[in-house]
Amino acid sequence: MKKLSVILLLSLIAFQGISQTNISKQQRLQWWQDAKMGLFIHWGPVSLIGKEISWSRNGYGKSKYDSLYLRFNPKQFNAREWVKLAKAGGMKYLVLTSKHHDGFCLFDTKTTPYNIMNSPFGRDVCKELAQAAHEAGMPIGWYFSVADWKDPDCRNPKTNDIFADRVEQQVRELLTNYGKISLLWIDYEGAPSPIHPKRVFDLARTLQPEIIINNRLEPFNPDESHARVGAYADYATPEGFVAGYGAVPWETCTNMGHQWAWRFNDTPRSLKESLHTLLRCVGGNGNLLFNIGPDSSGVFPPNFVARATEMGNWLNKNAEAVYQTKGGIYTPSKDYVSSYRGNKLYLHLLNNTGDEIKLPPMAANVKKVSFLNGNAIPFTQSKADITLKIPQNGRDSIATIVTITLDKPAAQLGQIIPFTTTNSLAYGKKATASSALGQFLHDPSAAFDDNPATFWKMGRRTDVDFEAYYGKDVHYQTEAAFNLFQNKGWLEVDLGTKQTVKQLKVSELVYQKSQIKRFEIQYEKDGQWLTLAQDEKMGNWSKDISPVTAQKFRLVILDSYGFAGVREFQLF
């Protein structure tokens, strides 16, 4: 009997191991997508001087910066208070900078003496925060830079292998010594990862089978980190901006204040701006990782605590329309975003839209419209639109949320784009391209969305072995990096039916030295592509043409430099 029990126990353990490693990507991501917002915490000895973490190292002086830890003693640090703040702010998970690019470790590592245990504080911050998070039932994750600007072995042609082993050991410590870690937030700092992405990815999956991992192990430029989900990632990470709708999982990271690390006399963004940032993420089917930096004593500034608490109070009243929802079915517009659950569609009105708002039609019957608190709102529905009459009484000064009850699950309706603001014939039409830098924000459809904050960019060259560049010192702003990406390509739109076009417009992303040097606009006729116009400089370009009737049009980039992008390609 005892032998049988042992066999059954071993079989159960083996089964659990197999089932854990076979967890689907969607299952791993579900809790995170339901959570919508997490608290990002950038912290370290740099808080003593109020400058930006890592990025201020050169300007401040490397030696002085690297010595700050010798007087770092945040005696008021209280991990439970940090978790309490996150909960009060409506954040559902935590991410702490366990090691930033400056190389300082906030955990007890055996790989380097440059860590919190050798500061006057001498306590493992990661351990205490993980314990507090676990006690509160809050998922916790580590921000971790795979690069280290202080370590002379990092990207050193002779010793980078030693460095890569050291990084792997640090990841092992972080994912072994602190209980369940739900998220690993790798950062990219301008050059290819000094350790091969697969090594970090596989190690993390082995040690924490349910962990989710962002996409910054693989990028060769920042826009890839914003938009591309590669083989060793679960979601994309736009930074400092919210733009559009994403069919792939994504999370914007940005600051409640004006610097990642704490700085003197910083002020939080207004309650309205903070909540609109979150709601635009929710409506775009993404998450928000909202950063607040504690000061050098280990305390969050009172004005930031107050702002986070205000956010949490508002979210408590409107939680139904935010948490555990999906973005859509209406993709974001200037005036509204939407989210849904089951047969309820939540319309978040972000601007003063007047007494009436018109929505694009949908393939479902609207049964009822009301404020989130239940008071009815008059509406009419036709094949052309859905019109809501929004009473003044019942509006919210931050965002008025309207519940639209449908006769079928909203998920069955797909995504519905807002009415065009430009009347371009190409708006929202089927888009394809020779290549693209990512699956959203910089994909072909980004040039046909009436949104200049999104833009199509050409992707990686197909004749380059990108795997061979990991560990190399190739900064994304150098010619060597530019040459890894396409500088020629085409962007095509299918209007669905033949349309008569009289005017062409294209607008270029102006970014550093990037530029489109030569381009053509073509249309398809009898299987042939014929040139309509051409030029040697784009910028904001437009041209009136003799009317042409066709279904498909192309923008062909014949030569470009850097990481050129096209904001909008419009036909009238």
Side-chain angles (χ1 to χ4, degrees), residues 7 54 138 177 254 258 276 312 321 372 391 413 505-506 556 567:
I7 292 173
S54 298
M138 178 171 282
N177 299 335
T254 194
H258 301 85
H276 280 201
L372 189 61
L413 304 178
K505 285 188 178 182
V506 285
V556 182
R567 291 189 183 277

Side-chain angles (χ1 to χ4, degrees), residues 263-547:
R263 76 173 186 178
F264 292 101
N265 303 315
D266 199 6
T267 54
R269 301 181 191 278
S270 70
L271 177 61
K272 188 172 185 176
E273 183 181 356
S274 297
L275 282 166
H276 280 201
T277 302
L278 170 62
L279 294 178
R280 287 201 174 277
C281 290
V282 172
N285 204 35
N287 278 34
L288 173 63
L289 191 55
F290 216 14
N291 182 76
I292 307 176
D295 65 22
S296 61
S297 70
V299 174
F300 289 98
N303 54 343
F304 283 82
V305 173
R307 179 67 74 246
T309 303
E310 287 179 313
M311 284 187 70
N313 291 339
W314 190 91
L315 288 166
N316 282 339
K317 293 185 294 183
N318 298 282
E320 176 188 334
V322 176
Y323 303 111
Q324 297 177 321
T325 63
K326 297 289 186 184
I329 54 174
Y330 291 119
T331 59
S333 77
K334 179 175 69 72
D335 293 325
Y336 64 80
V337 299
S338 68
S339 57
Y340 69 87
R341 182 194 303 109
N343 69 336
K344 287 188 175 181
L345 172 65
Y346 303 101
L347 191 70
H348 307 251
L349 303 178
L350 304 179
N351 298 312
N352 187 357
T353 55
D355 296 333
E356 181 179 283
I357 183 167
K358 288 185 180 293
L359 302 171
M362 66 170 74
N365 293 319
V366 176
K367 296 172 65 178
K368 183 175 70 171
V369 180
S370 64
F371 288 117
L372 189 61
N373 64 15
N375 293 336
I377 291 174
F379 73 95
T380 58
Q381 182 176 15
S382 70
K383 292 182 179 179
D385 60 50
I386 299 169
T387 302
L388 311 181
K389 302 283 189 179
I390 312 294
Q392 291 293 326
N393 184 24
R395 296 194 185 198
D396 186 279
S397 61
I398 300 296
T400 299
I401 301 179
V402 173
T403 304
I404 302 174
T405 304
L406 309 175
D407 68 346
K408 64 177 67 172
Q412 295 179 8
L413 304 178
Q415 299 303 314
I416 302 172
I417 61 176
F419 291 120
T420 178
T421 57
T422 65
N423 294 315
S424 168
L425 297 172
Y427 172 69
K429 296 298 192 292
K430 181 181 178 181
T432 53
S434 54
S435 66
L437 200 63
Q439 289 99 325
F440 83 122
L441 296 183
H442 308 313
D443 66 317
S445 68
F448 304 100
D449 62 359
D450 283 0
N451 182 359
T454 64
F455 37 89
W456 168 68
K457 284 193 171 187
M458 293 174 286
R460 296 179 173 189
R461 282 172 49 183
T462 57
D463 59 341
V464 171
D465 180 11
F466 281 81
E467 301 287 316
Y469 280 85
Y470 293 114
K472 303 291 178 62
D473 190 9
V474 181
H475 194 272
Y476 77 93
Q477 293 177 331
T478 62
E479 294 285 338
F482 293 164
N483 291 335
L484 300 176
F485 290 81
Q486 306 278 358
N487 72 338
K488 299 177 183 179
W490 51 263
L491 173 66
E492 181 180 319
V493 62
D494 184 338
L495 301 182
T497 59
K498 288 186 176 182
Q499 302 277 341
T500 300
V501 173
K502 302 177 181 179
Q503 186 184 49
L504 312 170
K505 285 188 178 182
V506 285
S507 55
E508 179 181 2
L509 170 74
V510 179
Y511 177 70
Q512 295 176 348
K513 298 180 180 180
S514 298
Q515 60 177 309
I516 294 172
K517 294 182 175 181
R518 290 192 299 121
F519 68 95
E520 289 185 354
I521 295 178
Q522 305 172 342
Y523 70 101
E524 187 185 50
K525 181 179 180 181
D526 299 329
Q528 300 290 319
W529 287 100
L530 305 179
T531 298
L532 272 173
Q534 55 189 346
D535 210 330
E536 296 184 357
K537 185 177 181 180
M538 182 176 287
N540 290 316
W541 182 95
S542 66
K543 185 173 183 177
D544 295 326
I545 59 171
S546 298

